[in-house]
Amino acid sequence: MIKKHYLTLLTLTFSLFFFSCSTLKTVDGNKKIDTALVGIWGGEETDQQIEGVTKKWKMTRKDDGTFSLEFLVQMGDRKRESIETGNWWVEKDVFYEYHSVSGKTTTYKYKVLDKNSIDFKVLDAHFKFNADSYTFIDKRLTEEKTAKEQGLTVETAIKVNSVTEEYQYLKKHYPNSQFLGQALINSDRDKYYDKLTFKTKEGETKSLYFDITSFFGKGF
């Protein structure tokens, strides 16, 4: 009898430990997300999708099951930036990434290597790859600590009513900085952003995002 009670207690303890350590969370539509994947992540690959092309990205996965994916694609001296949004969820060890504009879902097998690294291997995609096996590792960005600061990501882009306001903001918050470049980014949500890249007086290279949707294309 004592042995039976002991085994019951052991089973209960194990079950409580397992569920308390679970990183799964249910979001809208009864889909589940793995909270270990939530945050701001970065990665890059070369030649895997297209030979001669380097692709870098910043992926922001939220705990409501939505994501924002910023791409920088470079081929030689040519660069192109884009933003994609959509929903994500998991089923066992499979990661699902639904893209709003294309209406397509890409699936990956994923493995959490540690709290700052996730290994992905594509299972099914709506586009072809140059490499036989498309794999990559997402690394958690240290910028996550300051992601809530205005303008550091597209998600926290600063709303302005003119280009002049962008430079006024830069001058006020980052005095004596050196302007390096400006890029226009069009997201798949019909939003437009200016990305200003500059070097601070301390020598650090930074980028700020400004939401220019309210006046873009209106003769500014």
Side-chain angles (χ1 to χ4, degrees), residues 65-129:
T66 63
F67 74 82
S68 175
L69 182 57
E70 302 169 41
F71 278 117
L72 171 62
V73 180
Q74 183 170 355
M75 183 175 186
D77 296 330
R78 293 182 295 171
K79 295 182 179 180
R80 181 173 62 85
E81 294 184 82
S82 63
I83 301 173
E84 297 179 16
T85 59
N87 298 85
W88 69 279
W89 65 94
V90 301
E91 292 180 10
K92 296 184 178 179
D93 61 348
V94 178
F95 175 85
Y96 293 80
E97 190 176 271
Y98 171 79
H99 295 259
S100 300
V101 167
S102 67
K104 303 289 187 180
T105 301
T106 304
T107 58
Y108 303 85
K109 185 173 183 178
Y110 80 97
K111 181 179 180 180
V112 178
L113 303 178
D114 55 53
K115 66 178 183 179
N116 295 316
S117 306
I118 308 170
D119 181 77
F120 288 92
K121 180 179 180 179
V122 71
L123 297 176
D124 185 33
H126 56 280
F127 43 83
K128 295 182 179 180
F129 296 94

